[in-house]
Amino acid sequence: MSEDRTGEVATVRSARRPTVKDVAAAADVSWKTVSNVVNGTAPVRASTRERVQRAIDQLGYRPNAAGRNLRRGRSRLLALAIPEIRLAYFADLAHAVILAAKARGYTVLIDETFADPAHERVVAQGFQVDLLDGLIFSPQALSDRDLVAAGGRLPMVMLGEATLPLDGGEAAADHVVIDNVASAREATEHLIEAGRSRIGFLGVRETETNGTGVLRHTGYAMALQEHGLPAVAFPAPTYSRPGGAAAIGAVIERFTGPDALDALVCANDLLAIGAMHILRGAGLRVPQDVAVIGWDGTEDGNYSNPTLTTVAPDLGALAELAVDLALGRVDGSTASPQVHLVGHRLIVRESTGGALGG
Amino acid sequence: MSEDRTGEVATVRSARRPTVKDVAAAADVSWKTVSNVVNGTAPVRASTRERVQRAIDQLGYRPNAAGRNLRRGRSRLLALAIPEIRLAYFADLAHAVILAAKARGYTVLIDETFADPAHERVVAQGFQVDLLDGLIFSPQALSDRDLVAAGGRLPMVMLGEATLPLDGGEAAADHVVIDNVASAREATEHLIEAGRSRIGFLGVRETETNGTGVLRHTGYAMALQEHGLPAVAFPAPTYSRPGGAAAIGAVIERFTGPDALDALVCANDLLAIGAMHILRGAGLRVPQDVAVIGWDGTEDGNYSNPTLTTVAPDLGALAELAVDLALGRVDGSTASPQVHLVGHRLIVRESTGGALGG
DNA sequence: CGTGCGACTTCTAACGTTGAATACAGTGAT
DNA sequence: ATCACTGTATTCAACGTTAGAAGTCGCACG
């Protein structure tokens, strides 16, 4: 009850940050008792606990993370490495990962790799300084073998399969992905059922041999082949709106004339939106002249004009699984690395003939 | 030259993480020399440095952040607290902050507050655990006086003026903002020059008395008053696409009939896109029937249909200034808190009669 | 030949925290 | 009164790093 005269629970600010010892002195107990109060490590008499708590509030004490981490050997920090946060899909992903991590008492640190191989290598090694408990990685430039080879002791979970071995070989690290081939088949079947027959694909990249784009293209090609329809693929420089615009701008003549394409499967929503932008500029109507479909289920597509049909991954499940796998390895699990599939669903909207939607 | 037999620069992985002492043993030098090599603290002979470096690479040694931070009293971590990363503006902002921080040797940790007052208070106190060197905060629920009062010893920089005192009083913390009143006047003038006379505003919020939305509304109202035109404001539940859609959906009759509004100033791009979505659903054409303008300069607006006129803040400058201010206070500057303005520009696109654009 | 310098080592201490082991009451049973 | 016991509270040591001081060694230079 030795409140100071200014009354209330006044926060006292001093130059130096208070340590557990300052609190101990203020509460007239040993610093270990303060630690026990903070961490619930050992039983503390109610009256003592209150006294300590009051001192903590008064001094504005908060445990120092460096000291704690050093002692505990854990930082409760997880990094999420993605190509670029401005891409809506990765923002959605980051959001889901942040939530999943927070639910488990972890904090997320975001690293943008810009698909730079050198940077990805540094990330795989754990950021030059040993700070993290785990890493969730959405690589773009390097394969998972490269990364695991470069990699350090850090528990690492991969997202997307820029890195997935096509040959069915064992994964070098845990992966969490949607079934890209299957979803691409569904998406393409959807267009065929809607009566389209000259269906293009946008989003292969020269530099990739087994990435997401390649797998989606594979599913697309399988569906077309089953129906005896012709396939045609267009490369995209980047998986972005400008990338989609540039790619389609370069081949716009394929959408006019007698053999004009009447549908376009795009490797993601951004490419689709960039493509639609150019199609519109060329006087083509979506979906009347060209049906368009994308991936990722970003909110954009629900408000675009026309609204965009898309394959939406179950990001919540993906993030939770990724975080659990990473933290599992933090706690010493040594289960052999696996590829884990999470769900997806096709959301039909205007761009393939669906309704406006909400 | 005591390479092991497997040759090359093989990465050796052991159970325990190597420490500076392990490296020292491997390189046959004192641990102090290793430290000197890592930090460049003292001159080391080139040959020795190489030997140490080889040991570092071989063992995969990376300095332990906890130990280092504890000793140095710095973590080189900065937090960016924003309402939600999925909102494109905040993703753009995060990107800019991450870049600016990285250029200064800092890493960014992102916290989503969801505009929750309790959470914002915890953030202002520095996250329960003393981990950060500084905080860049885009508050939504609380005023800056609340936050500074709740706040701890952490250098804090505010973005946006959910918190800016209207009375011209001294700021309680550093702020970095664009001139919202002026930019709103420009935006509104732009519509007036384009011949619009019944101009609505979307994006006031009941709970705010001096936030961004309020300031933009102020500039809007000033411009209309100067031209003797009537003003009408619509509240928005959230600054999001669904928020904009819901808000305009509720007042859609104001856009039809004899007194129909012919322009809409929206407090941000997301509201504008949500609004355009509903207008389209109601059979109204943008810009022919209603001109629409937003804020933030997000990429969406450059690919929407129609493309969206917007006020784009200079995010690069904003982020750099914010980071510099935060780090300045880390290094002990005690300049009195100020409001710093950064530039903005009006980008005219289709939604107010401009061209399609790139 | 000593002096001075560069390169390195050794030693000490400290950052703030917490697990383990230990001390100390007070209580109740014997 | 003695002993064991339980509930509290304390002391000790260690996590990995780096700053500083002081000392060692060899070599070049005056």
Side-chain angles (χ1 to χ4, degrees):
Chain A
M1 299 293 167
S2 58
E3 212 88 274
D4 66 357
R5 209 165 306 156
T6 61
E8 304 301 305
V9 197
T11 302
V12 176
R13 244 166 280 174
S14 70
R16 201 171 54 81
R17 301 191 157 175
T19 75
V20 74
K21 288 177 188 167
D22 299 318
V23 175
D28 196 33
V29 293
S30 79
W31 51 263
K32 178 64 198 188
T33 299
V34 176
S35 172
N36 285 334
V37 168
V38 171
N39 300 295
T41 328
V44 175
R45 189 163 31 206
S47 64
T48 311
R49 184 164 44 237
E50 268 175 40
R51 195 149 39 92
V52 170
Q53 192 55 55
R54 210 161 30 236
I56 288 178
D57 295 341
Q58 207 166 85
L59 296 174
Y61 168 76
R62 277 162 312 115
N64 176 290
R68 173 177 281 184
N69 296 347
L70 179 56
R71 181 61 232 236
R72 299 222 248 234
R74 291 281 151 82
S75 65
R76 302 211 141 237
L77 284 177
L78 221 52
L80 172 67
I82 54 178
E84 189 176 347
I85 189 73
R86 286 189 295 189
L87 304 179
Y89 170 73
F90 291 111
D92 289 355
L93 175 63
H95 170 79
V97 169
I98 288 172
L99 283 188
K102 182 177 285 186
R104 290 156 182 79
Y106 266 73
T107 301
V108 175
L109 185 156
I110 292 186
D111 185 76
E112 295 185 291
T113 62
F114 302 107
D116 171 34
H119 187 91
E120 289 196 348
R121 219 177 300 267
V122 169
V123 167
Q125 286 160 8
F127 293 89
Q128 292 184 347
V129 164
D130 182 16
L131 168 69
L132 304 167
D133 284 355
L135 174 61
I136 298 177
F137 198 169
S138 182
Q140 194 111 80
L142 297 180
S143 82
D144 80 339
R145 307 220 169 267
D146 291 338
L147 291 171
V148 169
R153 266 154 287 259
L154 203 57
M156 179 158 67
V157 176
M158 307 272 193
L159 304 182
E161 54 261 278
T163 59
L164 191 62
L166 275 179
D167 53 15
E170 187 176 284
D174 279 314
H175 281 261
V176 184
V177 295
I178 63 169
D179 189 331
N180 280 302
V181 175
S183 60
R185 287 178 67 157
E186 290 166 34
T188 311
E189 300 273 2
H190 165 64
L191 291 171
I192 295 169
E193 280 167 23
R196 310 288 166 155
S197 61
R198 305 189 66 83
I199 306 173
F201 182 92
L202 170 60
V204 290
R205 300 218 287 180
E206 305 80 358
T207 55
E208 270 178 40
T209 58
N210 60 350
T212 300
V214 173
L215 292 174
R216 292 178 184 169
H217 177 259
T218 301
Y220 151 86
M222 287 169 73
L224 289 183
Q225 192 175 15
E226 279 166 23
H227 289 78
L229 294 172
V232 50
F234 306 114
T238 63
Y239 288 166
S240 63
R241 279 178 277 236
I248 293 304
V251 298
I252 189 66
E253 76 284 355
R254 302 297 302 268
F255 294 86
T256 57
D259 296 347
L261 295 172
D262 59 10
L264 188 61
V265 176
C266 302
N268 74 4
D269 287 350
L270 293 174
L271 286 174
I273 287 171
M276 292 200 299
H277 182 72
I278 294 297
L279 292 173
R280 175 162 80 92
L284 292 158
R285 293 163 307 157
V286 176
Q288 294 89 336
D289 300 322
V290 187
V292 175
I293 196 166
W295 258 264
D296 289 349
T298 51
E299 201 193 57
D300 286 35
N302 199 29
Y303 290 86
S304 60
N305 177 8
T307 55
L308 179 65
T309 295
T310 187
V311 176
D314 185 346
L315 275 187
L318 186 145
E320 302 222 335
L321 189 48
V323 171
D324 282 337
L325 287 168
L327 297 188
R329 294 201 182 274
V330 170
D331 291 336
S333 149
T334 52
S336 72
Q338 252 187 297
V339 175
H340 305 260
L341 290 182
V342 297
H344 65 265
R345 67 200 177 91
L346 181 68
I347 302 177
V348 177
R349 302 209 190 94
E350 289 175 320
S351 69
T352 62
L356 176 63
Chain B
M1 300 291 166
S2 57
E3 212 88 274
D4 67 358
R5 207 164 305 156
T6 61
E8 302 302 306
V9 197
T11 301
V12 175
R13 244 165 281 177
S14 70
R16 201 170 55 81
R17 300 191 157 175
T19 74
V20 74
K21 288 178 188 168
D22 300 319
V23 175
D28 197 34
V29 293
S30 78
W31 59 261
K32 179 72 188 184
T33 300
V34 176
S35 174
N36 285 335
V37 168
V38 172
N39 300 295
T41 328
V44 175
R45 187 166 32 207
S47 64
T48 311
R49 186 166 42 238
E50 268 175 41
R51 193 149 40 91
V52 170
Q53 192 56 54
R54 210 161 29 236
I56 288 177
D57 295 342
Q58 206 167 83
L59 296 174
Y61 168 77
R62 276 159 315 113
N64 176 290
R68 172 178 280 185
N69 295 346
L70 180 57
R71 179 62 233 232
R72 300 224 248 234
R74 292 279 150 85
S75 65
R76 302 211 141 237
L77 286 177
L78 220 52
L80 173 67
I82 54 178
E84 189 176 346
I85 190 73
R86 286 188 294 189
L87 303 179
Y89 170 72
F90 292 110
D92 290 355
L93 175 63
H95 170 79
V97 169
I98 288 172
L99 283 189
K102 183 178 284 185
R104 290 155 182 79
Y106 267 74
T107 302
V108 175
L109 185 156
I110 292 187
D111 185 77
E112 295 186 291
T113 62
F114 302 108
D116 171 33
H119 186 92
E120 289 196 349
R121 219 178 298 269
V122 170
V123 168
Q125 286 161 9
F127 291 91
Q128 293 185 347
V129 165
D130 182 15
L131 167 69
L132 305 168
D133 284 356
L135 173 61
I136 298 176
F137 198 169
S138 184
Q140 194 111 81
L142 297 180
S143 82
D144 79 339
R145 305 216 171 270
D146 291 338
L147 292 170
V148 169
R153 268 153 284 260
L154 204 57
M156 178 159 68
V157 176
M158 308 272 193
L159 303 183
E161 53 262 276
T163 59
L164 191 62
L166 277 178
D167 54 15
E170 187 176 281
D174 277 315
H175 281 261
V176 185
V177 296
I178 64 169
D179 191 332
N180 280 301
V181 175
S183 61
R185 288 178 66 158
E186 291 166 34
T188 311
E189 300 273 0
H190 165 65
L191 291 171
I192 295 170
E193 279 166 23
R196 311 287 166 154
S197 61
R198 307 189 64 83
I199 307 172
F201 182 91
L202 170 60
V204 289
R205 301 217 288 180
E206 304 80 358
T207 54
E208 271 178 40
T209 58
N210 60 348
T212 300
V214 172
L215 292 174
R216 291 178 185 170
H217 176 259
T218 301
Y220 151 85
M222 287 169 70
L224 289 182
Q225 192 177 15
E226 278 167 23
H227 289 80
L229 293 172
V232 51
F234 306 114
T238 63
Y239 288 166
S240 64
R241 279 178 275 237
I248 293 304
V251 298
I252 189 67
E253 77 283 355
R254 303 295 305 266
F255 294 86
T256 57
D259 297 347
L261 294 172
D262 58 10
L264 188 62
V265 176
C266 302
N268 75 5
D269 286 350
L270 293 174
L271 286 174
I273 287 171
M276 290 200 301
H277 182 71
I278 294 297
L279 292 172
R280 176 162 80 92
L284 292 159
R285 296 163 305 158
V286 176
Q288 295 89 334
D289 300 321
V290 187
V292 175
I293 195 166
W295 259 264
D296 290 349
T298 52
E299 200 191 61
D300 287 35
N302 200 29
Y303 290 87
S304 60
N305 175 11
T307 56
L308 179 66
T309 295
T310 188
V311 176
D314 184 346
L315 275 186
L318 186 144
E320 303 221 333
L321 189 48
V323 171
D324 282 337
L325 286 168
L327 297 187
R329 293 199 182 275
V330 171
D331 291 336
S333 148
T334 51
S336 70
Q338 252 186 296
V339 176
H340 305 259
L341 290 181
V342 299
H344 64 266
R345 67 199 176 94
L346 181 68
I347 302 177
V348 177
R349 301 209 190 93
E350 288 176 319
S351 71
T352 61
L356 176 63

Coordinates of all heavy atoms in Angstrom, one line a residue, chain A residues 217-257:
Chain A
H217 N 0.1 -25.4 -65.3 CA 0.1 -25.6 -66.8 C -0.1 -27.1 -67.1 O -0.8 -27.5 -68.0 CB 1.4 -25.1 -67.4 CG 1.5 -25.3 -68.9 ND1 2.2 -26.4 -69.4 CD2 0.9 -24.7 -69.9 CE1 2.0 -26.4 -70.7 NE2 1.2 -25.4 -71.1
T218 N 0.5 -27.9 -66.3 CA 0.4 -29.4 -66.5 C -1.0 -29.8 -66.4 O -1.6 -30.5 -67.3 CB 1.3 -30.1 -65.5 OG1 2.6 -29.7 -65.6 CG2 1.1 -31.6 -65.7
G219 N -1.7 -29.4 -65.3 CA -3.1 -29.7 -65.1 C -4.0 -29.2 -66.3 O -4.9 -29.9 -66.8
Y220 N -3.7 -28.0 -66.7 CA -4.4 -27.4 -67.8 C -4.2 -28.2 -69.1 O -5.2 -28.6 -69.7 CB -3.8 -26.0 -68.0 CG -3.9 -25.4 -69.4 CD1 -5.0 -24.7 -69.9 CD2 -2.8 -25.5 -70.3 CE1 -5.0 -24.2 -71.2 CE2 -2.8 -25.0 -71.5 CZ -3.9 -24.3 -72.0 OH -4.0 -23.8 -73.2
A221 N -3.0 -28.6 -69.3 CA -2.7 -29.4 -70.6 C -3.4 -30.8 -70.5 O -3.9 -31.3 -71.5 CB -1.2 -29.5 -70.7
M222 N -3.4 -31.4 -69.3 CA -4.0 -32.7 -69.2 C -5.5 -32.6 -69.5 O -6.1 -33.4 -70.3 CB -3.9 -33.2 -67.8 CG -2.5 -33.7 -67.5 SD -2.2 -34.0 -65.7 CE -3.2 -35.5 -65.5
A223 N -6.2 -31.6 -69.0 CA -7.6 -31.4 -69.2 C -7.9 -31.2 -70.7 O -8.8 -31.8 -71.3 CB -8.2 -30.2 -68.4
L224 N -7.1 -30.4 -71.4 CA -7.3 -30.2 -72.8 C -7.1 -31.4 -73.6 O -7.9 -31.7 -74.5 CB -6.4 -29.0 -73.3 CG -6.7 -27.6 -72.8 CD1 -5.8 -26.6 -73.4 CD2 -8.2 -27.3 -73.1
Q225 N -6.1 -32.1 -73.3 CA -5.8 -33.3 -74.0 C -6.9 -34.4 -73.9 O -7.3 -35.0 -74.9 CB -4.5 -33.9 -73.5 CG -3.9 -35.0 -74.4 CD -2.6 -35.5 -73.9 OE1 -2.2 -35.3 -72.8 NE2 -1.9 -36.3 -74.8
E226 N -7.4 -34.5 -72.7 CA -8.5 -35.4 -72.5 C -9.7 -35.1 -73.4 O -10.5 -36.0 -73.8 CB -9.0 -35.4 -71.1 CG -8.1 -36.2 -70.1 CD -8.4 -35.9 -68.7 OE1 -9.5 -35.4 -68.4 OE2 -7.5 -36.2 -67.9
H227 N -9.9 -33.8 -73.7 CA -11.0 -33.4 -74.5 C -10.6 -33.2 -76.0 O -11.4 -32.7 -76.8 CB -11.6 -32.1 -74.0 CG -12.4 -32.4 -72.7 ND1 -11.8 -32.5 -71.5 CD2 -13.7 -32.5 -72.4 CE1 -12.7 -32.7 -70.5 NE2 -13.9 -32.8 -71.1
G228 N -9.4 -33.5 -76.3 CA -8.9 -33.3 -77.6 C -8.9 -31.9 -78.1 O -9.0 -31.6 -79.3
L229 N -8.6 -31.0 -77.2 CA -8.6 -29.6 -77.5 C -7.1 -29.1 -77.6 O -6.2 -29.6 -76.9 CB -9.3 -28.7 -76.5 CG -10.9 -29.0 -76.5 CD1 -11.5 -28.3 -75.3 CD2 -11.5 -28.5 -77.8
P230 N -6.9 -28.1 -78.4 CA -5.5 -27.6 -78.6 C -5.1 -26.7 -77.4 O -5.9 -26.1 -76.7 CB -5.6 -26.7 -79.8 CG -7.0 -26.2 -79.8 CD -7.8 -27.3 -79.2
A231 N -3.8 -26.7 -77.0 CA -3.3 -26.0 -75.9 C -2.3 -24.9 -76.5 O -1.6 -25.2 -77.4 CB -2.6 -26.9 -74.9
V232 N -2.3 -23.8 -75.8 CA -1.3 -22.7 -76.2 C -0.9 -22.0 -74.9 O -1.8 -21.5 -74.2 CB -1.8 -21.8 -77.3 CG1 -3.2 -21.3 -76.9 CG2 -0.8 -20.6 -77.5
A233 N 0.4 -21.9 -74.6 CA 0.8 -21.2 -73.4 C 1.6 -20.0 -73.7 O 2.3 -19.9 -74.7 CB 1.7 -22.2 -72.6
F234 N 1.4 -18.9 -72.9 CA 2.1 -17.7 -73.0 C 3.0 -17.5 -71.8 O 2.5 -17.7 -70.7 CB 1.1 -16.5 -73.1 CG 0.2 -16.7 -74.3 CD1 -1.2 -16.8 -74.0 CD2 0.6 -16.7 -75.6 CE1 -2.1 -17.0 -75.0 CE2 -0.3 -16.9 -76.6 CZ -1.7 -17.0 -76.3
P235 N 4.2 -17.1 -72.0 CA 5.1 -16.8 -70.8 C 4.7 -15.5 -70.2 O 4.2 -14.6 -70.8 CB 6.5 -16.7 -71.5 CG 6.2 -16.3 -72.9 CD 4.9 -16.9 -73.3
A236 N 5.0 -15.4 -68.9 CA 4.8 -14.1 -68.2 C 6.1 -13.8 -67.5 O 6.8 -14.6 -66.9 CB 3.7 -14.3 -67.1
P237 N 6.5 -12.5 -67.6 CA 7.8 -12.1 -67.0 C 7.8 -12.2 -65.5 O 8.7 -12.6 -64.9 CB 8.0 -10.7 -67.5 CG 6.6 -10.2 -67.9 CD 5.8 -11.4 -68.3
T238 N 6.7 -11.7 -64.9 CA 6.5 -11.8 -63.5 C 5.0 -12.1 -63.2 O 4.2 -12.0 -64.1 CB 6.8 -10.5 -62.8 OG1 5.8 -9.5 -63.3 CG2 8.2 -10.0 -63.1
Y239 N 4.7 -12.6 -62.0 CA 3.4 -13.0 -61.7 C 2.6 -11.8 -61.1 O 2.1 -11.8 -60.0 CB 3.3 -14.1 -60.7 CG 3.7 -15.5 -61.3 CD1 4.0 -16.5 -60.5 CD2 3.8 -15.6 -62.6 CE1 4.4 -17.8 -61.0 CE2 4.1 -16.9 -63.2 CZ 4.4 -17.9 -62.4 OH 4.8 -19.1 -62.9
S240 N 2.6 -10.7 -61.8 CA 2.0 -9.5 -61.3 C 1.0 -8.9 -62.3 O 0.9 -9.4 -63.5 CB 3.1 -8.4 -61.1 OG 3.7 -8.2 -62.4
R241 N 0.3 -7.9 -62.0 CA -0.6 -7.2 -62.9 C 0.1 -6.6 -64.1 O -0.2 -6.9 -65.3 CB -1.4 -6.1 -62.2 CG -2.5 -6.6 -61.4 CD -3.3 -5.5 -60.6 NE -2.6 -5.2 -59.4 CZ -3.1 -5.2 -58.2 NH1 -4.4 -5.4 -58.1 NH2 -2.4 -5.0 -57.1
P242 N 1.2 -5.9 -63.9 CA 2.0 -5.4 -65.1 C 2.5 -6.6 -65.9 O 2.5 -6.5 -67.1 CB 3.1 -4.6 -64.5 CG 2.7 -4.3 -63.1 CD 1.7 -5.4 -62.6
G243 N 2.9 -7.7 -65.2 CA 3.4 -8.8 -65.9 C 2.3 -9.4 -66.8 O 2.6 -9.8 -68.0
G244 N 1.1 -9.5 -66.3 CA 0.0 -10.1 -67.1 C -0.3 -9.2 -68.2 O -0.6 -9.6 -69.4
A245 N -0.3 -7.9 -68.0 CA -0.6 -6.9 -69.0 C 0.4 -7.0 -70.1 O 0.0 -7.1 -71.3 CB -0.7 -5.5 -68.4
A246 N 1.6 -7.0 -69.8 CA 2.7 -7.0 -70.8 C 2.6 -8.3 -71.6 O 2.7 -8.3 -72.8 CB 4.1 -6.9 -70.1
A247 N 2.4 -9.4 -70.9 CA 2.4 -10.7 -71.6 C 1.3 -10.8 -72.6 O 1.5 -11.2 -73.8 CB 2.3 -11.8 -70.6
I248 N 0.1 -10.4 -72.2 CA -1.0 -10.4 -73.1 C -0.9 -9.3 -74.2 O -1.3 -9.5 -75.4 CB -2.4 -10.4 -72.4 CG1 -2.5 -11.6 -71.5 CG2 -3.5 -10.2 -73.3 CD1 -2.4 -12.9 -72.3
G249 N -0.4 -8.2 -73.8 CA -0.2 -7.1 -74.8 C 0.7 -7.6 -76.0 O 0.4 -7.3 -77.1
A250 N 1.6 -8.5 -75.7 CA 2.5 -9.0 -76.7 C 1.9 -10.0 -77.6 O 2.4 -10.2 -78.7 CB 3.8 -9.6 -76.0
V251 N 0.8 -10.6 -77.2 CA 0.2 -11.6 -78.0 C -1.3 -11.3 -78.3 O -2.1 -12.2 -78.5 CB 0.3 -13.0 -77.4 CG1 1.8 -13.4 -77.3 CG2 -0.4 -13.0 -76.0
I252 N -1.7 -10.0 -78.2 CA -3.1 -9.6 -78.3 C -3.7 -10.1 -79.6 O -5.0 -10.4 -79.6 CB -3.2 -8.1 -78.1 CG1 -4.7 -7.7 -77.9 CG2 -2.6 -7.4 -79.2 CD1 -5.3 -8.3 -76.6
E253 N -2.9 -10.3 -80.7 CA -3.5 -10.7 -81.9 C -4.1 -12.1 -81.9 O -5.0 -12.5 -82.7 CB -2.5 -10.6 -83.1 CG -1.5 -11.7 -83.1 CD -0.4 -11.5 -82.0 OE1 -0.4 -10.5 -81.3 OE2 0.5 -12.4 -81.9
R254 N -3.7 -12.9 -80.9 CA -4.2 -14.2 -80.7 C -5.7 -14.2 -80.3 O -6.3 -15.2 -80.2 CB -3.4 -15.0 -79.7 CG -1.9 -15.1 -80.1 CD -1.8 -15.9 -81.4 NE -2.4 -17.2 -81.3 CZ -1.7 -18.3 -81.0 NH1 -0.4 -18.2 -80.7 NH2 -2.3 -19.5 -81.0
F255 N -6.1 -13.0 -79.8 CA -7.5 -13.0 -79.3 C -8.5 -12.3 -80.3 O -9.6 -12.0 -80.0 CB -7.5 -12.2 -78.0 CG -6.8 -12.9 -76.9 CD1 -5.4 -12.7 -76.7 CD2 -7.5 -13.7 -76.1 CE1 -4.7 -13.4 -75.8 CE2 -6.8 -14.4 -75.1 CZ -5.4 -14.2 -74.9
T256 N -8.0 -12.1 -81.5 CA -8.9 -11.5 -82.6 C -8.7 -12.4 -83.8 O -7.9 -13.3 -83.9 CB -8.4 -10.1 -82.9 OG1 -7.1 -10.1 -83.3 CG2 -8.6 -9.2 -81.7
G257 N -9.6 -12.2 -84.8 CA -9.5 -12.9 -86.0 C -10.2 -14.3 -85.9 O -10.9 -14.5 -84.9

